[in-house]
Amino acid sequence: MKQVAPNLTFIYDPDVTPDDLLLSVAKNICECSKPHISNGPLNDKIFTKGRYGVVSCYNSLPMAGGGSTLVRLNLKAIAERSASLDDFFTRQLPHYCQLQIAIIDARCDFLYEQSGFFENSFLVQEGLIDAGRFVPMFGMYGLAEAVNALCEKEGMTGRYGKDDEANALGYRISEQLATFVENTPVKHGWKQRAMLHAQSGISSDTGTTPGARLPYGDEPDPIGHLLAVAPHHRYYHSGISDILTLDETVKANPQAVVQLCLRGIQGRYA
């Protein structure tokens, strides 16, 4: 697990997972920052129990399906193009959300109607995958930079992750994205909807922070970090993750990591 790849996710369920296994997971995290931990009961409500998988570090998707496409909004760029906070929420963000849905539909039209993949794949023929259980992923990144840019436009001195007003602005953005995705049908996809995804970045990204994470090197203490980012998690049904910086001394007390995990899963940080 100390190798760079693969990333792994541990699905925690208080009714199934024994305490000693969670402690072993915590010890692994102390040594190599793996695995990620997923909230099993919460995902059960979204996908139904046992009907989803978590790919790599945190991509939650329907079992026997997966992600049909992933398109991303650069929230930093949208904020920079906005004249004001009101312009961002009422004009710019809705405009780019609609454009992203159009791209999703165009890509899925090709996959479902032109490529012949689902008609000819042995995976479909043998019942291993189902075209109806694939879902497009409505991605975003650069939330931290978007919040900071909007704060500057409004003359607010707060910074994302370190100020209640700035954090509330971030939650408002996540909520608006989630509401849009929930209420906007797509032409092809599980339940005729896309799923909101906080995307962890690609190698060509510059000047942006993955998903809704705090900028690297600018994080507060672990508890403050959790309190800042946890409220976002309810909105990103196809995946969101955070990377916490833990003090080296935690290796001598992995039970502290267990308590951090349990409190997060129980919703005490949201």
Side-chain angles (χ1 to χ4, degrees):
M1 291 186 72
K2 289 185 177 181
Q3 297 179 15
V4 174
N7 284 315
L8 296 171
T9 294
F10 179 81
I11 299 175
Y12 175 79
D13 186 332
D15 294 331
V16 176
T17 309
D19 293 342
D20 60 342
L21 180 55
L22 183 59
L23 180 59
S24 294
V25 169
K27 290 178 179 178
N28 273 321
I29 291 172
C30 292
E31 289 293 331
C32 58
S33 301
K34 295 180 186 178
H36 288 66
I37 296 181
S38 175
N39 187 331
L42 183 62
N43 278 324
D44 289 344
K45 293 178 181 178
I46 297 168
F47 298 98
T48 68
K49 193 174 183 66
R51 296 295 291 158
Y52 70 95
V54 184
V55 182
S56 184
C57 50
Y58 68 105
N59 302 291
S60 304
L61 296 163
M63 188 173 290
S68 53
T69 188
L70 167 61
V71 186
R72 310 183 305 156
L73 288 178
N74 182 340
L75 294 176
K76 175 188 177 184
I78 298 173
E80 290 174 342
R81 294 175 184 178
S82 301
S84 64
L85 195 61
D86 181 68
D87 184 49
F88 175 84
F89 281 108
T90 62
R91 294 183 65 251
Q92 301 296 339
L93 187 59
H95 171 69
Y96 286 102
C97 283
Q98 289 290 354
L99 288 181
Q100 182 144 297
I101 287 292
I103 295 171
I104 284 172
D105 280 341
R107 287 186 174 187
C108 289
D109 274 347
F110 175 79
L111 176 63
Y112 283 83
E113 299 177 8
Q114 300 177 45
S115 72
F117 173 76
F118 291 113
E119 292 82 2
N120 298 298
S121 173
F122 77 93
L123 296 171
V124 176
Q125 294 165 3
E126 296 186 13
L128 298 174
I129 63 173
D130 179 349
R133 292 189 62 79
F134 280 78
V135 60
M137 300 169 75
F138 190 103
M140 52 68 74
Y141 68 106
L143 178 65
E145 290 75 20
V147 168
N148 291 340
L150 291 170
C151 284
E152 290 175 7
K153 289 178 185 289
E154 296 297 311
M156 299 160 55
T157 59
R159 303 284 291 177
Y160 180 65
K162 296 186 175 181
D163 175 82
D164 289 344
E165 193 173 15
N167 290 343
L169 177 55
Y171 308 145
R172 182 182 172 189
I173 294 171
S174 288
E175 183 178 17
Q176 181 159 323
L177 289 171
T179 299
F180 174 84
V181 171
E182 182 180 347
N183 290 290
T184 305
V186 294
K187 295 174 69 174
H188 305 280
W190 184 58
K191 297 185 177 181
Q192 298 304 121
R193 292 294 187 273
M195 295 188 77
L196 189 58
H197 179 73
Q199 208 275 328
S200 62
I202 58 177
S203 60
S204 60
D205 290 344
T206 57
T208 54
T209 302
R213 294 179 188 173
L214 302 187
Y216 301 128
D218 196 34
E219 304 94 338
D221 65 275
I223 298 300
H225 191 154
L226 282 170
L227 290 171
V229 298
H232 289 289
H233 283 227
R234 73 189 73 174
Y235 300 115
Y236 295 87
H237 289 176
S238 68
I240 178 172
S241 73
D242 288 289
I243 298 176
L244 300 180
T245 301
L246 299 176
D247 191 278
E248 279 289 311
T249 57
V250 79
K251 291 181 179 180
N253 185 20
Q255 191 63 46
V257 178
V258 169
Q259 293 306 312
L260 283 175
C261 295
L262 290 176
R263 286 176 176 271
I265 289 168
Q266 293 163 1
R268 296 186 186 181
Y269 299 119

